[in-house]
Amino acid sequence: QPDGSIAYTRNGEFHLNSNGEIVNSDGLILQPAITVPQNTLSLTIGRDGTVSAVVAGNSTPTQIGNIQLSDFINPAGLQAIGSNLFVETASSGAAQQGTPGLNGFGSVEQGMLENSNVNVVEELVEMITTQRVYELNSKVVQTADQMLQFVSQNL
């Protein structure tokens, strides 16, 4: 964060700023900071979070940093602060940092997008079912109202 505090994100879309540092879409610097050399031809990120660059004049990749992952005892306890950023709270517990792919931490995949966790067909069927139940309940209330109206007018 600009104030020096740490925020966490699931968004792995990173860019380079004018200083060659890896930043998110809002320009916040990835921690620990990784600076890409100016004469870099290609950049690769391994499943273990190792960031390597092939620089001009050298055909072998040079390791320039590591991306670390953080895990929380209760991820639902994180406080959303906007822009796909979260901060830890007492209910989330302290961040446990680790190397991707080890000790139960997920791996890092370069060039991938996370799929939606929603099945559109199931949600559509659920919505139709809910609508039908609402219509049925509405008819029950309407019929009961008509019966009471008939009773009150004829007795």
Side-chain angles (χ1 to χ4, degrees), residues 27-47:
L28 301 175
I29 299 172
L30 180 68
Q31 293 297 323
I34 300 173
T35 303
V36 178
Q38 213 168 22
N39 54 350
T40 297
L41 300 175
S42 68
L43 191 66
T44 58
I45 301 171
R47 292 177 60 101

Side-chain angles (χ1 to χ4, degrees), residues 42-130:
S42 68
L43 191 66
T44 58
I45 301 171
R47 292 177 60 101
D48 63 351
T50 303
V51 180
S52 302
V54 174
V55 293
N58 190 357
S59 62
T60 59
T62 304
Q63 183 177 339
I64 59 173
N66 288 307
I67 295 175
Q68 295 289 307
L69 297 180
S70 297
D71 194 12
F72 295 88
I73 294 171
N74 178 21
L78 290 168
Q79 178 186 356
I81 58 172
S83 297
N84 203 16
L85 296 174
F86 301 87
V87 292
E88 70 180 50
T89 63
S91 63
S92 71
Q96 301 168 5
Q97 291 190 340
T99 302
L102 298 177
N103 302 324
F105 285 92
S107 61
V108 176
E109 298 290 336
Q110 181 176 355
M112 300 292 170
L113 293 175
E114 184 176 15
N115 282 335
S116 172
N117 61 356
V118 176
N119 184 331
V120 177
V121 174
E122 287 179 15
E123 293 300 320
L124 186 60
V125 168
E126 185 69 29
M127 185 177 72
I128 291 170
T129 303
T130 303

